[in-house]
Amino acid sequence: MEKPDAQSYIQGVLNRDRRMLAKTITLIESTLPADQKVAQQILDALLPQTGKALRLGITGLPGAGKSTFIESFGMMLIRKGYSVAVLAVDPSSPKTGGSILADKTRMEKLAVNERAFIRPSPSGKTLGGVARKTRETLLVCEAAGFDVVMVETVGVGQSEVSVASMVDFFLVLMIAGGGDELQGIKKGVLELADAIAVNKADGDNIERAKLAQHQYEIAFHLLSPPYRNWTPPVVTCSSITMAGLENIHKIILDHRDKLTESGELQVKRQEQDRDWLLFMVREGVQEWFYESPAAQLLAELLQEVEKGTITPTTAAARILGCLKGLRF
Amino acid sequence: MSQHSQKKKWQELAAKELKGKHTDSLNWETPEGILVKPIYTAEDLEGLDSVNTLSGIAPYMRGPTATMYANRPWTIRQYAGFATAKESNDFYRKNLAAGQTGLSVAFDLATHRGYDSDHPRVAGDVGKAGVAIDSVEDMKILFNQIPLDKVSVSMTMNGAVLPVLAGYIVAAEEQGVQQNQLAGTIQNDILKEYLTRNTYIYPPRSSMRIVSDIISYCSQNMPRYNTVSISGYHIMEAGADSVLQTAFTLADGKEYIRAAIDGGLKIDDFAPRLSFFFGVGMNFFMEIAMLRAARFLWHKIVSEFNPTNLRSAVLRTHVQTSGWSLTQQDPYNNIIRTTLEALAAVLGGTQSLHTNSFDEAVSLPTPLSARTARNTQIIIQEESQICHVVDPLGGSYYIESLTASIIREAQKIMDEIEQLGGMARAIETGMPKMRIEESAARRQARIDQGKDTIVGVNKYRVKDEVPMDVLEVPSSVRDEQINRIKQIKARRDNPAVQKALEKITNVAQKGGNLLAASIDAVRLRATVGEVSDAVEKVFGRYVATTRVISGAYASEYGDSEIIAALRKRVKLFFEKTGRRPRMLVTKMGQDGHDRGIKVVATAYADLGFDVDISPMFQTPEEAAKMAIENDVHLVGVSSLAAGHKTLVPQLIENLKKMGGEEIIVVVGGVIPPVDYDFLYSKGVQGIFGPGTAITESADKVLQLLEEKFLKVK
């Protein structure tokens, strides 16, 4: 198959051509070095057009109703006149490498809406890979002019940190359980939250949701707030009855206004870019290291450490000594 | 009783015949996980409380009536309907004249989902998998010259139950038949729609309100009418084994009892009018045992509600032979399969029976295939002398032991469901659906490996198959229906209709009986779509969550060379192109049968594909948008309801329009071979009929991908 040149992709994205936007994301996701090179050209060209969208991260335990929330919240945004892009990452099977991408079955209305673009992506093997692809895809969607970009993350753990580090607002969805509200969700994830929404507050679940809301509020007081001008609110909502969704939108806008005014949003994005550079270097160095001859040395020294014939400190010093001999 | 006195001797003889292998090597573990031994004796019946009971007497295991077929054989009730009401009516009357004794109406998918034929979402569905009914005028034509006080009519309707049952009642009324004379059945089993088939309209709880309103209305006005036909058939067709079918069906039944009791009824007001509908497949003795076990368990379940009427706890059932067991390959074999399944249903003691036509794997029945199917039952009934004795296998060591095993295993699953808070709650957790899908994926893997033999498919294949005649429904049916809707709307008292529809909305909101309100509106010629919309205003239209299991196919298949080879090709594709083969699987139109698509999704993911799944009920344009956005290499369309000739070319058109001309389109499901050339000419690159092994389709799909994306650079 003949692939278009970088310029056609760039023009396609800027014209918000759905096909070319999709194809650009595919290039970003590709593991072929040639594709990645073109992708970087495209990204460099698009960079001046990025930065204008509201970047939203959405997380929650499996069953918290993330996709359904995005469906309802996204449709509300569209009714208000916004265009919406959604990026969702689904786990690839570690055994077979394959994946099942069923997000759109829970975003039925949003999936067919002309002003929405949803791209589910398989996670692939490495966490670093997902983080890079998602971040770059987010930038491409911004360049295509989407007003809001939502990033959905799976489960709980490290992926939250990487998503939180690429969005302006990080929303954690919870559901009311049997009292052990804080079980399962890591404290670290709460620390990243700009707001917590107790979802599924509908029908005979409203009272329980309110109780959970209260418990999270208490838990939040024990954490130090992420910004001077922002205390993360805890709210309830329902993707079914739409109750509370307006309020969440208001909170997000409020957050943006306050942090823009104080300059904290700009600082946040700068920090994110800095962290991103550091992350990429760290990942890159690691990757490079494990493919270099030094990895062989490491393997040998690991055995010696196990045998007790050398101390870990001495071993590390020997490896680092070798690396220091390299010239740039 | 202890071990048979000659058991030792038998074992010695057996060991000799087995040339030293232990007799345990002959044990067979059924798909249900039940261990079947090569021989059974009286020892196996010890302690079983189901043995040596009588028909017509609790626990009714041996039959709901005392004399069974010795007095009156089962009702021969063939499920049929296609195109317009007029054509279906002609077909029904011919069948009744040729020995059929009851009617069973198949509606098209537009009707099931509460859409009139002029709705834009149903372009490919009108009149295809059943008859198109838009108003009571269609209903009157459907039953023209069929006396509804004499012929019992079964209607397979679950979604649009209100307008359809109302239409039947008003059609009868205008024939001069009173409501209390009406005998028959409406399926009205909404719970299983959320498990399989997906022909629901409203969310589960609102739908349960409708079920309960119908039960309540009929218990007062239509005492001879069966208000719910609790259906295991579709659960089986979705891939459930006999234990799962039994457990989920009976648990559904228990949930209906609870809903009706919550609605203020007493158990004896409605329980005698609950009937069942089981599916019977090829596992001959298991099927017989299943029907016996189901009767035993239902008696136990209903007894918990303390009925005083003895009939309340009696399970009466209709049976249909399995559609899934039919093959497109060497199709006359299907006559034999259906005969065996019919025999199992009869030996299991069914009250009525539908036998499938041999061409049903690919299309609607022709007059010849329909006659053969009907005669299959008539020959069992009138030539085989089977009917003289009640439960002729009762007392068989094997059958009794197998029955007890199903009772035990199904009870375990029902206990699990009770712990989740009943079937409605269990459905919300996704547990039953996952179990069914796992069972389906495992069965597919067994067939694909040849562990389960299917003659003509994975063994003894015929090289040059002779194409069969198929019955095709012309697309002009939709135009005819649309015209008739226009005429009706022009002639009726529109303000009065509006008022009646508002009343329905009001009743949905504030309470009252929805069926009573629907009858009033239908009498004034409100259409199926209008009545459904009036209810939808309050209840909303439901969208199910799709969950797909992973790993089941490959784990049943084991690490075979075939799977390894396919995985290797996927890996090579990944290395060469920088991404895994990505495939969108989609269903378009109102066809909600999603077993096939899910088995395909899980199996392909197990092979290493990235598989996108679309929401149900897509239009071709929506499916194309998703394929474009997700940037897939390939779209796999599943079609089981005859919409392929309209919808697939439209999909390809839309893909081209959106710049995705390189996206490969393949089609799987029920596609008559005579349509293959038409589809190829429209740009389809692969067609996989019933009985295609997944490994076989994956081989072809990979070949297409390799040719397109690997060869040229």
Side-chain angles (χ1 to χ4, degrees), chain A residues 237-254:
Chain A
C237 70
S238 162
S239 309
I240 310 293
T241 65
M242 310 289 284
L245 297 187
E246 275 295 342
N247 186 35
I248 291 174
H249 186 226
K250 222 183 96 225
I251 289 169
I252 293 168
L253 293 181
D254 192 35

Side-chain angles (χ1 to χ4, degrees), chain A residues 28-292:
Chain A
I28 291 173
E29 289 175 352
S30 171
T31 56
L32 291 188
D35 287 347
Q36 286 185 12
K37 213 173 127 196
V38 182
Q40 287 314 313
Q41 280 175 18
I42 299 168
L43 281 166
D44 286 344
L46 293 176
L47 202 60
Q49 311 299 325
T50 62
K52 280 168 272 184
L54 180 65
R55 302 170 181 176
L56 266 183
I58 290 156
T59 193
L61 288 170
K66 294 180 290 289
S67 304
T68 317
F69 174 84
I70 291 173
E71 160 91 342
S72 299
F73 194 69
M75 284 310 292
M76 184 192 75
L77 293 174
I78 279 176
R79 279 193 292 274
K80 287 175 184 288
Y82 298 105
S83 55
V84 178
V86 178
L87 312 180
V89 178
D90 290 290
S92 298
S93 156
K95 203 174 152 219
T96 67
S99 66
I100 288 175
L101 308 139
D103 308 81
K104 289 199 193 184
T105 62
R106 293 180 292 274
M107 303 180 192
E108 202 198 26
K109 292 199 188 83
L110 203 59
V112 301
N113 195 287
E114 272 308 305
R115 288 217 303 280
F117 181 94
I118 307 174
R119 177 67 172 237
S121 297
S123 67
K125 283 217 173 98
T126 63
L127 190 66
V130 182
R132 178 186 65 78
K133 289 179 227 168
T134 310
R135 178 181 284 261
E136 290 173 356
T137 304
L138 185 149
L139 292 176
V140 172
C141 290
E142 269 194 351
F146 284 95
D147 302 313
V148 181
V149 184
M150 291 194 255
V151 183
E152 178 188 350
T153 72
V154 226
V156 164
Q158 288 171 297
S159 62
E160 275 65 25
V161 182
S162 71
V163 170
S165 72
M166 63 179 85
V167 297
D168 302 330
F169 192 97
F170 195 59
L171 177 68
V172 179
L173 288 181
M174 299 285 214
I175 42 169
D180 307 325
E181 310 304 1
L182 290 171
Q183 272 197 359
I185 193 114
K186 290 192 179 119
K187 184 166 156 274
V189 174
L190 286 185
E191 280 170 349
L192 299 169
D194 293 304
I196 288 186
V198 182
N199 195 12
K200 303 192 182 176
D202 41 47
D204 50 16
N205 206 27
I206 292 181
E207 282 312 309
R208 262 186 297 167
K210 282 192 177 148
L211 192 67
Q213 178 190 16
H214 186 61
Q215 283 170 330
Y216 289 126
E217 272 168 351
I218 295 169
F220 247 146
H221 284 303
L222 304 174
L223 300 170
S224 52
Y227 316 100
R228 266 178 293 125
N229 295 306
W230 187 257
T231 311
V234 182
V235 298
T236 61
C237 70
S238 162
S239 309
I240 310 293
T241 65
M242 310 289 284
L245 297 187
E246 275 295 342
N247 186 35
I248 291 174
H249 186 226
K250 222 183 96 225
I251 289 169
I252 293 168
L253 293 181
D254 192 35
H255 173 267
R256 189 178 59 178
D257 291 347
K258 280 203 175 121
L259 268 60
T260 307
E261 203 181 322
S262 70
E264 280 169 296
L265 188 65
Q266 207 195 338
V267 173
K268 181 176 186 169
R269 283 192 171 184
Q270 281 165 355
E271 272 176 10
Q272 287 179 343
D273 283 343
R274 253 178 48 110
D275 289 350
W276 180 236
L277 171 60
L278 294 175
F279 174 81
M280 297 269 282
V281 170
R282 212 162 44 237
E283 287 275 305
V285 167
Q286 233 177 51
E287 204 176 300
W288 165 83
F289 173 82
Y290 282 104
E291 282 164 13
S292 76

Side-chain angles (χ1 to χ4, degrees), chain B residues 216-283:
Chain B
S216 158
Y217 183 93
C218 294
S219 73
Q220 285 159 34
N221 303 291
M222 296 160 69
R224 297 174 60 210
Y225 199 73
N226 296 318
T227 49
V228 186
S229 168
I230 306 154
S231 306
Y233 178 78
H234 313 88
I235 295 175
M236 174 197 70
E237 288 288 283
D241 58 47
S242 297
V243 165
L244 291 178
Q245 180 181 189
T246 307
F248 292 151
T249 309
L250 298 182
D252 279 346
K254 191 169 183 182
E255 197 72 21
Y256 292 124
I257 291 183
R258 288 205 180 109
I261 286 176
D262 287 349
L265 295 177
K266 291 199 189 70
I267 183 82
D268 291 324
D269 293 345
F270 63 91
R273 300 321 306 170
L274 298 177
S275 64
F276 283 80
F277 173 23
F278 279 91
V280 159
M282 286 299 289
N283 194 350

Side-chain angles (χ1 to χ4, degrees), chain A residues 18-19 26 99 101 111 120, chain B residues 582 610-611 625 629 631 662:
Chain A
R18 204 175 288 279
R19 183 69 184 140
T26 301
S99 66
L101 308 139
Chain B
R582 187 159 177 171
D610 287 324
V611 185
K625 178 180 184 260
E629 239 169 53
D631 193 19
E662 78 273 24

Side-chain angles (χ1 to χ4, degrees), chain B residues 47 89 124 138 148 161 218 280 354 391 421 431 484 536 539 542 570 575 624 671 682 696:
Chain B
N89 174 263
D138 290 336
L148 293 174
V161 272
C218 294
V280 159
H354 165 101
D391 187 29
M431 177 277 255
R484 196 148 53 241
E536 189 182 330
F539 291 167
Y542 182 69
V570 170
E575 284 162 6
I671 316 284
K682 294 290 172 187
E696 192 184 321

Side-chain angles (χ1 to χ4, degrees), chain B residues 6-189:
Chain B
Q6 290 181 301
K7 185 76 179 279
K8 249 211 153 105
K9 195 171 177 192
W10 179 88
Q11 262 163 346
E12 283 164 19
L13 278 170
K16 213 187 244 171
E17 289 170 21
L18 291 170
K19 300 198 167 72
K21 269 194 287 179
H22 197 273
T23 48
D24 282 356
S25 67
L26 295 177
N27 287 352
W28 166 55
E29 196 189 303
T30 72
E32 293 79 5
I34 294 169
L35 198 74
V36 170
K37 303 182 292 181
I39 195 165
Y40 286 78
T41 62
E43 186 193 348
D44 295 293
L45 304 188
E46 276 173 43
L48 297 183
D49 48 2
S50 50
V51 178
N52 203 19
T53 56
L54 287 174
S55 53
I57 299 172
Y60 308 102
M61 186 187 71
R62 304 192 62 193
T65 61
T67 52
M68 292 294 287
Y69 311 147
N71 172 38
R72 206 182 87 178
W74 66 92
T75 304
I76 300 171
R77 191 188 298 285
Q78 296 294 88
Y79 181 52
F82 58 93
T84 60
K86 168 91 182 57
E87 283 174 83
S88 294
N89 174 263
D90 287 347
F91 189 76
Y92 294 161
R93 283 195 283 145
K94 272 187 213 144
N95 292 348
L96 289 171
Q100 186 170 315
T101 47
L103 284 184
S104 174
V105 183
F107 295 95
D108 72 359
L109 287 164
T111 310
H112 273 291
R113 300 262 301 147
Y115 293 118
D116 285 339
S117 298
D118 56 1
H119 196 284
R121 295 198 81 90
V122 301
D125 297 304
V126 175
K128 289 284 162 62
V131 59
I133 298 291
D134 292 317
S135 72
V136 67
E137 294 298 337
D138 290 336
M139 206 59 114
K140 284 175 74 178
I141 298 169
L142 188 67
F143 297 122
N144 181 34
Q145 294 182 53
I146 297 172
L148 293 174
D149 52 343
K150 298 203 174 61
V151 177
S152 75
V153 177
S154 163
M155 296 192 290
T156 296
M157 178 53 65
N158 303 280
V161 272
L162 291 169
V164 167
L165 183 53
Y168 167 73
I169 290 168
V170 174
E173 183 178 289
E174 296 184 8
Q175 246 189 31
V177 177
Q178 297 308 306
Q179 291 184 14
N180 61 13
Q181 295 172 281
L182 290 173
T185 307
I186 186 147
Q187 198 163 76
N188 197 26
D189 172 12

Side-chain angles (χ1 to χ4, degrees), chain B residues 54 309 459 685:
Chain B
L54 287 174
N309 181 347
K459 228 175 178 182
Q685 297 187 46

